[in-house]
Amino acid sequence: MRTLYVSDLDGTLLGPDRKVSEESVRLLNESIEDGALFSVATARTPATVGPLLNDVECTLPLIVMTGAAIWDRSDNHYVHASFHDEVVARRLVELYRKHNLCAFVYILGEDNVIHIYHLGEMSPLERVFMEERLSTPYKKFHVDEKGDSELPDRLDRVLLFYCMRPTEEVERVYDEIKDSKDLRAVFYHDMYGDEIALMEVFGPDASKANAVRILAEMANVDRIVAYGDNVNDLPILEVADDAVAVENAVEAVKRVAGRIIGPNSADSVAKDIKRQVLAN
């Protein structure tokens, strides 16, 4: 039976230091050498996924940007991408500008590089976000001195609108689009606290679950084993034949999981994959 093993990164495969430990690298590579089909499903872009998995010898493409794209790092090629409809993308640009809501716009170029534009003048937080991501071959920022951008004429390859602004500003736009059928909006708080809200707006078909289904079909597998720790991993657990939560997962994930393994601090995902490969 051909099995696809797919894991979230942060809080699941990555340790508390947000790295793949040497032990996990060793175990994963041994399992892959023995025939395991391994990939990840993460909100991260190739700019950070590539270095994180540099020592893991994945043979399958990787699910990035919360399922908006599937990326083959062997040749920096996107084997699948879920774009916004161009009419919807232009409508969103108008809506953001109407509400003076700043946002990064991620566009996948024909050159297989993610080109990032910015709507509005950058805040100090947004500028730090950008500067931390300038030294990578996988993405390119197009902004002026104030941080604003002139968008390209074509908006038919937009993957994502991403904003990180005061909560009340983001909520105004989120409330207008959250029930739209032609896009998928995700609103949440993260490391910046309750005062700053994050919002990601994808095309309607962009999700980790859909990307896992597509990757499973590409790999011609009979079974999916998925690992996660947080609510954004629920979609991949729900499509898995074997839904696995790490011990440090939130309760909502543990309730959905068919079983619970050790914490992310103990190489638990890599150990579980190795155990299954040896058993087969």
Side-chain angles (χ1 to χ4, degrees), residues 102 118 121-128 164-165:
C102 296
H118 189 263
E121 186 174 335
M122 277 191 185
S123 69
L125 177 62
E126 290 169 316
R127 189 165 292 280
V128 169
M164 46 197 311
R165 300 292 292 183

Side-chain angles (χ1 to χ4, degrees), residues 21 50-51 56 58 62 69 71 187 191 240 258:
S21 72
V56 180
C58 300
L62 310 173
W71 175 63
F187 174 96
M191 67 184 76

Side-chain angles (χ1 to χ4, degrees), residues 119-224:
L119 303 176
E121 186 174 335
M122 277 191 185
S123 69
L125 177 62
E126 290 169 316
R127 189 165 292 280
V128 169
F129 176 87
M130 180 185 72
E131 290 174 350
E132 289 176 345
R133 291 158 175 79
L134 288 175
S135 58
T136 170
Y138 301 118
K139 60 175 65 169
K140 182 178 181 180
F141 286 85
H142 303 265
V143 298
D144 62 20
E145 290 183 0
K146 291 184 177 181
D148 201 0
S149 300
E150 181 177 344
L151 294 175
D153 292 334
R154 290 176 53 186
L155 294 179
D156 58 342
R157 293 175 65 85
V158 176
L159 289 168
L160 167 68
F161 288 81
Y162 177 76
C163 69
M164 46 197 311
R165 300 292 292 183
T167 296
E168 63 275 11
E169 294 180 17
V170 181
E171 279 182 326
R172 282 197 293 269
V173 173
Y174 177 69
D175 287 342
E176 285 198 35
I177 65 176
K178 63 183 180 182
D179 296 323
S180 299
K181 303 299 182 185
D182 51 9
L183 56 84
R184 188 171 68 85
V186 182
F187 174 96
Y188 60 102
H189 294 93
D190 201 353
M191 67 184 76
Y192 307 111
D194 292 340
E195 293 183 0
I196 298 294
L198 308 182
M199 183 168 69
E200 299 170 328
V201 185
F202 301 96
D205 299 324
S207 72
K208 282 186 177 182
N210 283 341
V212 167
R213 292 189 189 99
I214 292 167
L215 184 59
E217 185 174 344
M218 288 179 181
N220 191 28
V221 301
D222 308 296
R223 177 172 170 263
I224 299 170

